[in-house]
């Protein structure tokens, strides 16, 4: 910690330790700022001419019958650099998060387009006369495709939430249907090989 006693009348350094002399003598304007801030409450940060930053706590007092300012000086350059690094890391993390959200939204849209085409083709096949085993396979394919479509829509919802573009609304839910769908997803659908001839 640097200690300095600055005379108010001519802004001169009356007393100081070596550390204070090393810091404050590198910038002549420091004395002016120290005296000007002598009546302010709380610490202040000042930039030195050599690029470093110091935190200064000042207390007005008297010495030898004349007004002076007692200064406590601490080097906070490393702290400032750490704060700047944290701000930079936060900005980079936010940029990465935005890029991820944009990627998820784009990818989901790109997947949903061919998936809708697959569902359309499955609807077409459902209208054809198929053997029972073939119809079972078709139902498994439709069910799996719808599950994939729901998953893609959920990803789009998540990306919408992260970009603050999601509007929530209340809607009725059938718990029994949710349980049934969850059960179907967990079952391994292993249909027999089917010939569509």
């Amino acid at each position: 910690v640097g200690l300095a006693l600055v005379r108010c009348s001519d802004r001169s350094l009356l007393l100081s330790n070596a550390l204070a002399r090393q810091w404050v003598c590198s910038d002549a304007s420091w004395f002016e700022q120290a005296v000007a801030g002598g009546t302010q409450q709380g610490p202040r940060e000042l930039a030195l001419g050599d690029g470093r930053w110091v935190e200064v706590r000042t207390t007005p007092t008297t010495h030898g019958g004349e007004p002076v300012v007692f200064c406590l000086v601490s080097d906070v350059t490393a702290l400032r650099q750490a704060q700047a690094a944290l701000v930079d890391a936060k900005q980079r993390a936010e940029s990465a998060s935005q890029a991820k959200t944009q990627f998820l939204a784009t990818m989901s849209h790109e997947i949903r387009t061919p998936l809708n085409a697959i569902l359309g083709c499955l609807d077409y096949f459902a209208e054809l006369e198929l053997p029972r085993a073939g119809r079972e396979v078709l139902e498994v394919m439709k069910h799996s495709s719808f599950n994939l479509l729901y998953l893609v829509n959920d990803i789009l919802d998540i990306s919408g939430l992260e970009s603050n573009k999601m509007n929530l609304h209340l809607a009725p839910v059938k718990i029994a249907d949710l349980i049934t769908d969850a059960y179907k997803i967990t079952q391994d659908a292993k249909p027999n090989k089917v010939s569509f001839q």
Side-chain angles (χ1 to χ4, degrees), residues 141-161:
M141 292 172 65
K142 282 183 70 174
H143 184 72
S144 298
S145 298
F146 274 116
N147 284 336
L148 183 56
L149 183 61
Y150 293 146
L151 178 61
V152 169
N153 288 335
D154 287 344
I155 293 173
L156 283 172
D157 289 344
I158 290 172
S159 63
L161 280 171

Side-chain angles (χ1 to χ4, degrees), residues 23 32 37 42 84 114 119 147 177:
W23 288 338
E32 192 72 35
L119 286 168
N147 284 336
D177 290 348

Side-chain angles (χ1 to χ4, degrees), residues 41-60:
Q41 298 295 319
R44 295 175 302 122
E45 288 187 1
L46 299 176
L48 300 181
D50 59 3
R52 283 180 297 174
W53 284 84
V54 292
E55 181 184 84
V56 182
R57 295 175 183 269
T58 54
T59 304

Side-chain angles (χ1 to χ4, degrees), residues 60-68:
T61 184
T62 58
H63 176 73
E66 59 182 337
V68 295

